Amino acid sequence: MLIVEGLEYHEDINSVTREMSRSESWLSRLKLSLIISETACNVGKRN
Amino acid sequence: MHNTSLITVTHDPKGRNVKLFKELKNVFEDIYSELFITISEETSAELIEELENSKFKTKIISKLGVAHARRQSLSLGLTSEAQYFHYCDFDRLLTWVKNHSSELRKTVGVIPKYDYLIIGRTERATQTHPDEWLETEKITNKICSLELGKVVDITGGSCSFSRKAGNYINKYSKEKMTDAEWAMIAHRLAGLNVNS
């Protein structure tokens, strides 16, 4: 497995550009997780 | 010997990455054979100017989401003769070059060994992320790992692939997020090995 140190998070560089409350941030990441996960389950199976 | 090109995307309305890019652009130019970036039209004029005056091949695009930007970036990269591509979000790339440039150089060096490579994070790098990223990405990575039959860190924001895989992705990518989609296109539609 190729894992790297470089894909680390720095608030000043890697935070999202849109301002959000803490709860909005959690919801945004939750939605993102759902979209990516659904894609993983579906892509290539229905084509 | 350079034979891997970088494809990346940026949306930076406040130009917060201008200074860092100025400091680090020579490193990018040294590591990769060619550099391709799509830039949202809302990105700061200063960053656009810096990128256009560098060795990056640039394309200004409408702000239609990161998946659209990534597809446009790949399409731009495929206009070259490059045989292998490294995709990484621009902000993540800046962090990588700033703090671990030798590791990036080494990673880019192994890319031609793989049809498709999901680049993951060490436990230490993972733990630098906010709680809401960590908790939600656990589920995403679990599901993607089950679908691929191997442990992957699909949410790290970086992958690499051959030109053959890139052509498949360019043809079939249409989803709202590409993190898992591109790997699944390579795995299920192109029948290529997806490594992690």
Side-chain angles (χ1 to χ4, degrees):
Chain A
M1 188 173 183
L2 180 63
I3 53 174
V4 300
E5 296 286 354
L7 294 172
E8 60 194 11
Y9 179 93
H10 292 260
E11 183 71 23
D12 56 332
I13 302 172
N14 308 115
S15 60
V16 294
T17 51
R18 187 164 63 90
E19 287 188 16
M20 286 185 281
S21 68
R22 293 283 292 133
S23 57
E24 285 173 333
S25 180
W26 273 88
L27 182 58
S28 169
R29 299 307 298 186
L30 186 60
K31 287 178 178 174
L32 198 58
S33 173
L34 178 61
I35 293 167
I36 296 171
S37 300
E38 283 184 330
T39 302
C41 291
N42 295 333
V43 167
K45 293 180 179 174
R46 295 178 300 192
N47 290 330
Chain B
M1 177 67 74
H2 300 304
N3 49 13
T4 299
S5 293
L6 172 69
I7 53 176
T8 186
V9 304
T10 189
H11 168 66
D12 185 1
K14 294 181 179 175
R16 68 178 177 180
N17 292 326
V18 172
K19 183 172 178 286
L20 201 50
F21 177 66
K22 282 182 182 177
E23 291 172 14
L24 304 173
K25 66 179 178 182
N26 290 342
V27 184
F28 293 119
E29 293 168 1
D30 190 47
I31 291 177
Y32 297 98
S33 57
E34 291 180 276
L35 305 154
F36 302 93
I37 187 167
T38 51
I39 310 166
S40 83
E41 61 188 357
E42 296 178 14
T43 292
S44 80
E46 190 180 5
L47 182 57
I48 291 174
E49 186 179 352
E50 284 296 328
L51 285 162
E52 289 182 336
N53 289 332
S54 73
K55 290 186 179 175
F56 271 87
K57 292 179 175 65
T58 62
K59 184 177 182 180
I60 311 293
I61 60 169
S62 302
K63 185 176 175 288
L64 296 172
V66 67
H68 170 75
R70 288 172 176 174
R71 282 189 278 270
Q72 290 290 307
S73 175
L74 172 59
S75 181
L76 184 63
L78 285 170
T79 62
S80 73
E81 298 295 318
Q83 294 304 303
Y84 288 89
F85 299 94
H86 178 206
Y87 176 81
C88 190
D89 296 334
F90 189 61
D91 63 304
R92 283 205 173 274
L93 202 62
L94 289 170
T95 303
W96 202 343
V97 172
K98 181 184 177 189
N99 300 296
H100 305 277
S101 64
S102 60
E103 180 192 67
L104 175 62
R105 191 182 300 273
K106 188 177 171 186
T107 302
V108 172
V110 304
I111 283 173
K113 293 180 180 178
Y114 304 99
D115 289 326
Y116 193 102
L117 177 65
I118 298 165
I119 301 171
R121 294 160 288 187
T122 62
E123 182 61 22
R124 187 208 62 79
T126 300
Q127 292 302 324
T128 60
H129 292 71
D131 287 347
E132 60 268 40
W133 293 41
L134 293 172
E135 293 303 317
T136 55
E137 287 180 0
K138 281 180 193 170
I139 301 168
T140 315
N141 283 327
K142 180 66 181 180
I143 291 172
C144 290
S145 296
L146 288 169
E147 287 294 318
L148 285 167
K150 63 183 72 175
V151 176
V152 298
D153 180 14
I154 202 85
T155 52
S158 186
C159 64
S160 71
F161 44 85
S162 64
R163 186 174 192 88
K164 182 177 181 181
N167 283 327
Y168 268 91
I169 293 165
N170 193 43
K171 182 176 181 181
Y172 291 106
S173 179
K174 57 182 173 52
E175 298 290 337
K176 195 171 179 182
M177 287 301 297
T178 64
D179 304 63
E181 185 199 26
W182 286 10
M184 294 306 168
I185 288 172
H187 175 57
R188 296 196 185 115
L189 298 181
L192 299 170
N193 288 323
V194 172
N195 297 275
S196 62

